[in-house]
Amino acid sequence: MKITAIETIPYSIPYAKPLRFASGEVHSAEHVLVRVHTDEGLVGVADAPPRPFTYGETQQSVIAVIEKIFAPQVTGMDVFAREQVHARLHRTVGNPAAKSAIDMALWDIVGQALGQPVTQLLGGYTDRMRVSHMLGFDAPERMAAEAERIRDTYGITTFKVKVGRRPITLDLDVCRALRETLGDEAELYVDGNRGWTPSESAAALRALEPVGITLAEELCPADDVLGRRWLVRQSPVPFVADESATTPAEVTRSLLDGAATAISVKTARTGFTQSQRVLFQCEGMGAEVVMGNQIDGQLGTVCTVAFGAAYAAASRRAGELSNFLDMSDDLLTEPVTITDGTLAVRDLPGLGVAIDPDKLTRYRQDR
């Protein structure tokens, strides 16, 4: 089965509630829908969520690199020759979201062709994952009220709390309010998006010990090499590398250098194929993983749970699978549903998704 074309469609869906964090804020999902077409009529889909403040990609750059570089390189290639496809994609540096969308769309095609869900092809460990919800910057009482609503509505009891503001007491007060509101049964962990210095991060970790957080992610920049290593050595909880470890090589370097003791895996930036390599590297080095969220819509969430549920190590912790709840709408014909704090994998060939043509017409930006 041959690749005949790769289609890129920019679209924008407003967020009902903007997400704010130390490295930026998001008011709308300005993503690129990627469709890979084949000579047998099967079409694979995936989402490319550009994050210019983290990886340097934009809607325009994703479209340009796919249309001008990637599509000409892989058109005519066998869908099943994914390693050959990757070899051509990786001639070009960077562009993680664009590469990942092509990779996941190819896996979608393979699953359709074989009549199997992607998660079964990857590993098939379980059929669902526990869900973690991400909370952006706001006042303590509003963040606590949002967490309580999410818990009561969806059964979610794990929350990732965005931190990194100054003074650090702004975020410490939030964490304390969340613990007081949610009680001891809730799991809380923090993500600084590189917003603090190592000394600020260390002070925050000490102050948060009574709160009982379970993970600390990217509290300070990894480029502050000695400070980061000093901080990680004294962290009382696993220290997660996210945007500082976006390739298998960076993951290895981060773990060996003492810049992290756990890794966030995001299919939006490493697809399924590279995410496998990251996960297996973490397993081999004894590092925990958490399935992260690149502020994904429902299509991206389907991809994350398909990968996370495929492996024991990836499904052990709650995955960040609920930020689509902050969006005002979505493109899928069958919405993603969170029940009792879990999200089930779709038991359909490939990714098991279909795009609503009317909604795509409404939100696309190229017409």
Side-chain angles (χ1 to χ4, degrees):
M1 188 188 318
K2 306 295 185 183
I3 299 170
T4 56
I6 302 180
E7 183 183 11
T8 57
I9 303 174
Y11 70 92
S12 179
I13 299 177
Y15 273 77
K17 179 182 182 298
L19 182 67
R20 298 181 172 88
F21 41 95
S23 60
E25 57 185 64
V26 175
H27 293 263
S28 61
E30 296 187 354
H31 296 182
V32 180
L33 180 69
V34 176
R35 285 171 163 159
V36 176
H37 297 261
T38 68
D39 60 355
E40 294 187 16
L42 295 181
V43 179
V45 299
D47 202 32
R51 294 291 167 255
F53 40 75
T54 305
Y55 309 110
E57 288 178 289
T58 65
Q59 263 189 337
Q60 292 75 22
S61 75
V62 168
I63 293 168
V65 77
I66 290 177
E67 291 186 349
K68 296 182 181 300
I69 299 177
F70 294 154
Q73 288 179 338
V74 303
T75 296
M77 295 188 70
D78 188 336
V79 166
F80 288 87
R82 290 189 304 277
E83 285 297 296
Q84 294 181 22
V85 171
H86 276 278
R88 296 195 182 185
L89 295 181
H90 288 293
R91 293 173 183 170
T92 304
V93 299
N95 300 282
K99 292 174 180 175
S100 297
I102 294 172
D103 175 73
M104 292 187 289
L106 289 174
W107 277 91
D108 184 24
I109 293 168
V110 170
Q112 293 177 53
L114 299 178
Q116 292 292 322
V118 165
T119 195
Q120 291 297 111
L121 300 178
L122 290 167
Y125 178 74
T126 184
D127 67 349
R128 66 191 60 243
M129 286 185 69
R130 290 185 298 117
V131 177
S132 169
H133 185 69
M134 189 157 58
L135 299 166
F137 291 163
D138 210 332
E141 63 275 11
R142 286 195 286 270
M143 290 179 68
E146 179 186 354
E148 190 172 36
R149 177 182 64 82
I150 292 292
R151 181 195 63 186
D152 294 346
T153 305
Y154 301 102
I156 296 171
T157 57
T158 301
F159 295 90
K160 175 177 182 173
V161 187
K162 289 293 189 179
V163 299
R165 291 179 289 182
R166 294 186 173 94
I168 65 172
T169 51
L170 290 171
D171 295 323
L172 298 179
D173 289 345
V174 166
C175 293
R176 293 177 182 127
L178 288 167
R179 178 59 71 202
E180 181 178 351
T181 299
L182 300 173
D184 293 338
E185 69 276 8
E187 178 183 352
L188 303 176
Y189 60 104
V190 295
D191 175 13
N193 290 111
R194 315 174 307 281
W196 287 332
T197 64
S199 59
E200 288 171 327
S201 303
L205 286 174
R206 289 193 297 271
L208 287 172
E209 284 197 36
V211 175
I213 63 168
T214 59
L215 297 169
E217 180 178 313
E218 297 284 11
L219 297 185
C220 69
D223 287 348
D224 188 350
V225 178
L226 295 181
R228 174 75 166 249
R229 190 181 300 167
W230 169 81
L231 174 65
V232 173
R233 278 201 302 264
Q234 63 182 290
S235 177
V237 295
F239 196 99
V240 183
D242 177 17
E243 56 264 31
S244 66
T246 63
T247 67
E250 289 175 351
V251 166
T252 303
R253 185 163 57 244
S254 186
L255 294 173
L256 290 179
D257 286 352
T261 51
I263 299 293
S264 176
V265 179
K266 292 182 176 177
T267 56
R269 71 167 177 236
T270 41
F272 294 141
T273 303
Q274 289 289 86
S275 292
Q276 283 181 315
R277 293 177 175 137
V278 168
L279 176 64
F280 298 157
Q281 184 73 358
C282 290
E283 284 190 294
M285 298 182 72
E288 288 190 73
V289 301
V290 59
M291 293 305 302
N293 189 304
Q294 199 151 300
I295 322 179
D296 297 302
Q298 293 189 25
L299 178 53
T301 299
V302 168
C303 290
T304 302
V305 73
F307 182 88
Y311 306 100
S315 59
R316 193 165 291 128
R317 286 187 171 274
E320 296 161 13
L321 303 167
S322 64
N323 273 90
F324 68 86
L325 296 175
D326 293 331
M327 292 175 62
S328 60
D329 203 353
D330 208 273
L331 298 180
L332 298 190
T333 57
E334 183 182 346
V336 171
T337 303
I338 298 170
T339 305
D340 295 329
T342 67
L343 184 60
V345 174
R346 300 197 171 192
D347 189 23
L348 294 168
L351 293 173
V353 298
I355 303 300
D356 186 315
D358 293 332
K359 289 187 176 183
L360 183 58
T361 297
R362 183 185 316 160
Y363 295 116
R364 67 187 301 166
Q365 296 180 293
D366 57 349
R367 291 181 180 174

